[in-house]
Amino acid sequence: MVTIAEVARHAGVAPSTVSYVLTGKRSISADTKSRVRESIRSLGYQPHVHTRGLGITRTNVIGLVLPLRAGTYVPAVMRFVTAAVTTARRYDMDLLLMTADDGLPALRRTANSALVDGFLVMDVEKEDARLPLLRQLSIPSVLIGRPAAARGLTCVDLDFEAAGAKCVEHLADLGHRSIGFLGAPSAVYRRTTGFAHRAMTGFSAAAMRRGVAATALSVEEDHDSVLRATEVLVRAHPSMTALVVHNEAALGGITACLRAAGRHVPGDIAVVAICPDELAERMSPPLTSVRLPAEELGRHAVELLVAKLEGRQPPPLVLLPPKLSRRASTPDPVDHAPAAVRQ
């Protein structure tokens, strides 16, 4: 289907100008209006339903639904927000950030007020209570995340199950046979947030396939909790030689906590993180990581929503494959036994 961008190129104007001609939101010269309308007729462009009809216009505002609940690590989610804002500006659109944790009422209230053209929805749970309403609303939505049942929805996500598995595969290929996993805070698992459960599931399934002993724990965000969790893993599994961390808040102190528990990275224990590359590179030593592509996910989400607003049918699921970058924290081990059991 013809897009606003194609109409803009044909008419020799910016996409925002085409939007203003359609919505009447700003004053446009008669000559420019004439060119744009001629391009619309020539190309057969079909405006989205929200730009048709008396008194119904586009707001050029996207509602970004990001409830700041227990266990939400704000620096991590802000990467998604920044990417969405930057991409939205390319389409001359703004973002309305909705951070209150009142779920359905906030969605219904915002949709009924005609404040936004559509929604981007984050912190998606496997059985998310917001999904039935999102399917019923007259304005479109895109989920950054994946529920258990995605029928009738549009979703974009990293393949977190494959990400968890990729960590295990890398470590098992290096010869590690006992691997720990430090996951998100317990509140994130209790509300069945999709990304956290899928990463842990992928980790556990891959460990079983490869015959690797595996232990997974949730860990809170503060230093004392990370220290306690690492000590628990080391005491319970003295033969553990590798650790996967899927908790950005825990990464800053993970090397020091392991050292306090008697394990040095990478000499005694290898570490792989699921996190943005730039965070993994800042650690000492730099951590091998499966990249969390927050910028790509934010950009894809906006592009999918714009496609729906323009009357196109985007794919129901965009699932990004995980990419692992090897760094100093996973060397080729000469001796897989940790210091505590080497005699």
Side-chain angles (χ1 to χ4, degrees), residues 197-248:
H197 277 273
R198 286 196 168 90
M200 188 179 284
T201 296
F203 167 85
S204 301
M208 187 174 296
R209 286 196 304 271
R210 295 298 297 263
V212 170
T215 302
L217 297 176
S218 66
V219 62
E220 307 310 313
E221 299 167 318
D222 61 283
H223 177 82
D224 288 346
S225 295
V226 178
L227 179 59
R228 284 195 299 272
T230 54
E231 289 174 340
V232 166
L233 283 175
V234 168
R235 284 200 306 269
H237 306 280
S239 62
M240 183 181 70
T241 59
L243 179 66
V244 176
V245 183
H246 185 205
N247 184 324
E248 285 189 36

Side-chain angles (χ1 to χ4, degrees), residues 69-284:
R69 302 188 278 206
T72 299
Y73 185 54
V74 175
V77 298
M78 285 308 296
R79 295 188 183 95
F80 294 88
V81 175
T82 300
V85 169
T86 302
T87 307
R89 289 312 308 155
R90 290 193 354 236
Y91 294 96
D92 199 41
M93 302 187 79
D94 294 311
L95 256 64
L96 173 66
L97 187 57
M98 303 165 59
T99 59
D101 187 15
D102 53 356
L104 296 176
L107 276 173
R108 193 176 286 112
R109 190 168 57 247
T110 306
N112 291 341
S113 68
L115 287 173
V116 301
D117 296 324
F119 291 110
L120 301 181
V121 181
M122 295 185 63
D123 200 30
V124 178
E125 300 170 10
K126 292 176 71 176
E127 305 295 338
D128 201 301
R130 299 169 294 184
L131 302 187
L133 177 61
L134 289 172
R135 292 186 177 101
Q136 296 167 8
L137 290 177
S138 60
I139 60 176
S141 60
V142 172
L143 278 60
I144 304 178
R146 187 161 49 114
R151 178 187 54 80
L153 302 167
T154 302
C155 308
V156 58
D157 205 3
L158 173 67
D159 189 340
F160 278 98
E161 195 164 341
K166 201 170 191 71
C167 296
V168 173
E169 296 291 349
H170 173 66
L171 292 167
D173 287 345
L174 292 175
H176 296 279
R177 292 294 172 263
S178 179
I179 305 173
F181 182 97
L182 291 181
S186 56
V188 176
Y189 291 103
R190 283 198 301 271
R191 62 175 180 262
T192 69
T193 308
F195 74 86
H197 277 273
R198 286 196 168 90
M200 188 179 284
T201 296
F203 167 85
S204 301
M208 187 174 296
R209 286 196 304 271
R210 295 298 297 263
V212 170
T215 302
L217 297 176
S218 66
V219 62
E220 307 310 313
E221 299 167 318
D222 61 283
H223 177 82
D224 288 346
S225 295
V226 178
L227 179 59
R228 284 195 299 272
T230 54
E231 289 174 340
V232 166
L233 283 175
V234 168
R235 284 200 306 269
H237 306 280
S239 62
M240 183 181 70
T241 59
L243 179 66
V244 176
V245 183
H246 185 205
N247 184 324
E248 285 189 36
L251 279 179
I254 193 65
T255 302
C257 289
L258 285 167
R259 190 184 307 118
R263 299 289 186 271
H264 290 80
V265 181
D268 302 319
I269 190 163
V271 177
V272 179
I274 302 174
C275 70
D277 279 344
E278 60 269 25
L279 179 57
E281 290 166 353
R282 288 202 306 267
M283 298 296 105
S284 180

